[in-house]
Amino acid sequence: MQENFIVASALLVAVLAADGRRLKRLPRKEKWCYAVLGLAGLYMALLFVSQAPWPNLPDLLHAVYGGPAERLTQYLKASG
């Protein structure tokens, strides 16, 4: 777990060091986009460090699109 924390921290520092100067000059809308993507990245880093069984992106996509996709597959198999 310590290794994962070190890797996630190093990546966060590297991203902030690379984008730090540009981030100050960005318009407000772009800062919001950066913040939203940063929060998603922090969530993924938290999952990586803690190795928690929380929902990941494929799990969320399956929860949203899984049922309709299954029905569509069944419909296509039945009509084919």
Side-chain angles (χ1 to χ4, degrees):
M1 188 159 141
Q2 279 183 326
E3 297 89 10
N4 292 352
F5 180 75
I6 292 169
V7 168
S9 299
L11 287 174
L12 177 65
V13 168
V15 167
L16 290 177
D19 292 343
R21 291 183 184 156
R22 277 184 263 154
L23 191 58
K24 292 178 184 176
R25 291 180 274 156
L26 286 177
R28 178 175 282 194
K29 287 182 182 179
E30 292 182 24
K31 285 182 183 179
W32 276 104
C33 290
Y34 194 90
V36 168
L37 291 175
L39 286 174
L42 286 175
Y43 177 72
M44 298 304 278
L46 178 66
L47 289 179
F48 176 68
V49 170
S50 67
Q51 297 177 354
W54 295 347
N56 207 342
L57 184 60
D59 300 331
L60 295 174
L61 289 175
H62 182 70
V64 172
Y65 297 114
E70 288 293 326
R71 284 188 294 246
L72 180 63
T73 304
Q74 293 297 328
Y75 174 75
L76 292 174
K77 284 181 181 179
S79 65

